Amino acid sequence: MDNTYVSTSLNPGFPPPSGFDIIGSCRGFLLLNNIFEYLYIWNPSTNVRKVLPSSPIVASNPHMPGLYGTTLYGFGYDPSKDDYLVVLATHDPALDHSIDFTNICFELFSLRANAWKQFEVTDLPYNVFGGTSFGTLLNWILHWLAYRPDAIVILAFDLVERKFSEVCLPDDFNPEGRFCDLCVLGGFLSLSIAEGDTTEIWVMEKYNEQSSWTKSFALSNNDLPSPSQHFSPIFSTKSGDIVGFNGRARLVKCNANGQLLEHCSYRDDPRGFGGGYV
């Protein structure tokens, strides 16, 4: 998500279209996924909406119904061309189960051109981290967690330059046995690390400078509503509070000391199905 600061209320104030999950946002627009069937761009303030045409690669692949072969999503803005872009990486599980970037096809959708374009990527020695991954947008760069043969890294894609690169993680970072997630808090790229009963939030105060990673706060997962193994931050408020979700259909707001302030459900279905608000 690209929001630096937003309202302190946990009530989103609008219902998303039924059956959709929000998987990205940029400058007031939301990218939604209709249960892996198709992608949809929506501005809830103006109600401007658009169903994206099917990706040519996805549409032509009989082994990959809908968007089930998708491993990476991304949504952002290219200020040099005044264009909104969707990045899609697809993988055919029927052909190769390794899910590495040597057998993934990359496509870029231009809202201005209303068309998909495939682009070649070489020398990306990575594996997808945690299955399907949604890009975290900071300025005009998308970020994902990914595996390299020797380490876990942040994979970055510059929407202006149309190039991949790496962004450093905290020194001696080891993801083994942890739940990790990226977000943007207060205009900084941030990392949540859940291990045992605690979730730590780290902030990179100077972009791509490893020494600038600083632990912001730690939150006890036992203090979260309902049994939860982690807290995934989404955005920060003007007062410094952090809003996230606990993985069980609940939005949670904590202060800078990691104390729980507020929580609410964001799905109508008590079983946890249906369209999500975040």
Side-chain angles (χ1 to χ4, degrees):
M1 300 293 182
D2 69 327
N3 309 74
T4 299
Y5 297 111
V6 297
S7 166
T8 58
S9 173
L10 290 188
N11 182 2
F14 59 85
S18 178
F20 285 86
D21 284 316
I22 299 173
I23 58 174
S25 72
C26 179
R27 294 163 58 96
F29 287 92
L30 303 175
L31 178 67
L32 302 98
N33 180 342
N34 181 26
I35 317 176
F36 288 99
E37 287 298 321
Y38 57 88
L39 297 174
Y40 183 98
I41 293 176
W42 176 45
N43 186 321
S45 298
T46 63
N47 208 30
V48 170
R49 56 185 70 195
K50 178 179 178 58
V51 176
L52 271 60
S54 296
S55 150
I57 291 178
V58 173
S60 64
N61 195 328
H63 301 116
M64 197 161 47
L67 291 164
Y68 277 101
T70 301
T71 56
L72 292 183
Y73 291 102
F75 179 49
Y77 178 71
D78 177 358
S80 69
K81 297 181 175 60
D82 188 27
D83 195 8
Y84 291 87
L85 303 172
V86 176
V87 178
L88 193 67
T90 53
H91 163 263
D92 187 349
L95 300 179
D96 191 335
H97 296 280
S98 63
I99 317 183
D100 62 48
F101 284 92
T102 62
N103 58 75
I104 287 179
C105 296
F106 291 89
E107 294 176 280
L108 198 67
F109 178 81
S110 163
L111 190 61
R112 180 174 289 277
N114 191 36
W116 289 95
K117 182 179 181 180
Q118 185 176 357
F119 63 99
E120 286 192 16
V121 178
T122 58
D123 194 27
L124 279 181
Y126 304 103
N127 285 76
V128 176
F129 182 86
T132 301
S133 182
F134 310 128
T136 297
L137 179 67
L138 177 60
N139 298 326
W140 45 83
I141 301 176
L142 289 162
H143 304 81
W144 300 270
L145 287 170
Y147 280 111
R148 206 172 58 187
D150 58 338
I152 180 175
V153 300
I154 297 176
L155 183 64
F157 182 72
D158 190 311
L159 293 165
V160 176
E161 299 294 333
R162 313 288 167 89
K163 293 180 179 179
F164 282 97
S165 63
E166 283 186 16
V167 174
C168 58
L169 279 162
D171 190 29
D172 297 327
F173 172 69
N174 182 1
E176 186 175 352
R178 301 176 174 185
F179 177 88
C180 308
D181 202 8
L182 292 174
C183 66
V184 174
L185 299 176
F188 299 105
L189 189 64
S190 303
L191 173 71
S192 65
I193 306 170
E195 182 178 19
D197 296 332
T198 303
T199 296
E200 295 180 351
I201 308 297
W202 289 71
V203 174
M204 188 168 62
E205 297 178 342
K206 291 185 179 180
Y207 188 76
N208 210 12
E209 288 192 15
Q210 188 175 47
S211 62
S212 74
W213 280 105
T214 304
K215 185 166 71 171
S216 175
F217 75 88
L219 170 73
S220 172
N221 298 329
N222 295 327
D223 294 337
L224 298 174
S226 304
S228 179
Q229 295 180 343
H230 67 271
F231 169 75
S232 294
I234 304 171
F235 57 79
S236 58
T237 69
K238 290 182 179 180
S239 61
D241 299 332
I242 295 177
V243 175
F245 63 93
N246 71 342
R248 296 183 179 273
R250 282 195 173 274
L251 286 174
V252 175
K253 182 165 70 174
C254 302
N255 63 19
N257 296 320
Q259 297 172 319
L260 179 66
L261 300 177
E262 186 182 355
H263 63 88
C264 73
S265 173
Y266 64 87
R267 293 186 188 273
D268 294 332
D269 189 329
R271 296 170 297 172
F273 300 101
Y277 288 130
V278 294

